[in-house]
Amino acid sequence: MELENLVAQVFRDSQWEIGFSPEVFVLSAPSQCEAFRLAALEPETLAMWAHRFGKVATLIQYPGGDSYRIPAAMAESEVTMAQEILVLDPSNPLIEIHALSLSPCLYQEIGWFLDHPAQAGGIVRVTDNQQVAMSYANGKKTADFTAGAGVKKAVGWKREDFWHPGDLSEFDREWKQKLEPNNPNSWIEYRWKSFDPERGITSEDGWIEFANRYKLLVDEFGNSYHVSWNLGMRDIAKPVGV
C-alpha cells in the first residue's frame, strides 16, 4: 500500500493518534485488534514511514500498555517464506534471517537485536529446532566456529547440526518444565556442549561449551520460538563417549 493511502486509512478514524519520541514514530491504536491488523498487513510500509521520519522504528501502541514495534531497517527488506537468506540491511547487516515469516511479536524481538548490535544471540523455531534469526555479533566471537562459517551460513543450521545430543535432550526437558510463554520474567540459563558442524561430531577438535539465556515466545499464530542471548563460551575437549 502506498504511504499516503495508509495515512488516509489510519487517520480516517479519529480514534487513532500520532506522535513522536526521540527514536520512534508512534501510532496509538484504539484497540489491540486494530493494532495487530495494521502491523500484520503493512509491515514494510510502516517501516518506510519510520525511515522517512528519520526514526529507528514505528511503534504501534494499544490500550493496556503493550505495543508492536516495526524496525525502520525492514524498509529495505522483502519478507518472504522462500527458503532463502534475507539480510534486513545489506549495507550494515545486524541480524540475518532464514526461512521466517515475521509476525508482529517477532518484529519486537528482531527490533531489540537491531537496537543492541553488540549482543550475540538469535531465535530458534521450536517445532524443528531451526535457527531462523541470528545476530551478526555471533560472528565477531573469534572462538566460535560461527565466525569461521559466517552468519549467513550458520543461521541455516538446526540444533541437531551442532548440539551435543545428550545436552539437547536435557534442554528440551528443562525448558518444557520451566519456561512460560510470553512471560518476560520467565527465562532459564543453560550450558551446552557444541561441535563444529563443518567437522562433525566425531572430530576431536572444534568443541565449545556455550552458556545462553532463553525465553519462550509464542506468536499471534501459535508458532513457538526460543529467543536466546549468549552469555559466554569456552573451548573444551571432546566429551567422553561421543
Side-chain angles (χ1 to χ4, degrees), residues 12 23 75 163 186:
R12 188 179 297 119
E23 294 187 346
W163 278 55
S186 177

mmCIF file of all heavy atoms in Angstrom, residues 12 23 75 163 186:
data_model
loop_
_atom_site.group_PDB
_atom_site.id
_atom_site.type_symbol
_atom_site.label_atom_id
_atom_site.label_comp_id
_atom_site.label_asym_id
_atom_site.label_seq_id
_atom_site.Cartn_x
_atom_site.Cartn_y
_atom_site.Cartn_z
ATOM 1 N N ARG A 12 -8.439 8.252 9.014
ATOM 2 C CA ARG A 12 -9.839 8.484 8.729
ATOM 3 C C ARG A 12 -10.664 8.244 9.990
ATOM 4 O O ARG A 12 -11.712 8.855 10.203
ATOM 5 C CB ARG A 12 -10.305 7.558 7.592
ATOM 6 C CG ARG A 12 -11.714 7.873 7.090
ATOM 7 C CD ARG A 12 -12.098 6.940 5.958
ATOM 8 N NE ARG A 12 -11.215 7.111 4.804
ATOM 9 C CZ ARG A 12 -10.435 6.150 4.309
ATOM 10 N NH1 ARG A 12 -10.409 4.965 4.889
ATOM 11 N NH2 ARG A 12 -9.679 6.381 3.264
ATOM 12 N N GLU A 23 13.317 8.519 19.249
ATOM 13 C CA GLU A 23 13.788 7.407 18.426
ATOM 14 C C GLU A 23 12.713 6.768 17.554
ATOM 15 O O GLU A 23 13.031 6.137 16.554
ATOM 16 C CB GLU A 23 14.416 6.319 19.304
ATOM 17 C CG GLU A 23 15.698 6.752 20.017
ATOM 18 C CD GLU A 23 16.367 5.598 20.727
ATOM 19 O OE1 GLU A 23 15.715 4.553 20.898
ATOM 20 O OE2 GLU A 23 17.537 5.741 21.097
ATOM 21 N N ALA A 75 12.430 -1.573 5.920
ATOM 22 C CA ALA A 75 12.027 -0.864 4.704
ATOM 23 C C ALA A 75 12.825 -1.339 3.500
ATOM 24 O O ALA A 75 12.361 -1.222 2.365
ATOM 25 C CB ALA A 75 12.215 0.644 4.885
ATOM 26 N N TRP A 163 24.606 -29.339 18.264
ATOM 27 C CA TRP A 163 24.443 -29.568 19.703
ATOM 28 C C TRP A 163 24.841 -31.003 20.056
ATOM 29 O O TRP A 163 24.544 -31.949 19.309
ATOM 30 C CB TRP A 163 22.991 -29.369 20.124
ATOM 31 C CG TRP A 163 22.556 -27.961 20.374
ATOM 32 C CD1 TRP A 163 22.641 -26.896 19.517
ATOM 33 C CD2 TRP A 163 21.904 -27.467 21.548
ATOM 34 N NE1 TRP A 163 22.098 -25.779 20.087
ATOM 35 C CE2 TRP A 163 21.633 -26.090 21.333
ATOM 36 C CE3 TRP A 163 21.520 -28.029 22.755
ATOM 37 C CZ2 TRP A 163 21.009 -25.285 22.280
ATOM 38 C CZ3 TRP A 163 20.885 -27.243 23.701
ATOM 39 C CH2 TRP A 163 20.644 -25.883 23.458
ATOM 40 N N SER A 186 10.118 -14.995 32.766
ATOM 41 C CA SER A 186 10.358 -16.440 32.712
ATOM 42 C C SER A 186 11.503 -16.724 31.747
ATOM 43 O O SER A 186 11.369 -16.550 30.530
ATOM 44 C CB SER A 186 9.087 -17.168 32.252
ATOM 45 O OG SER A 186 9.318 -18.557 32.124
#
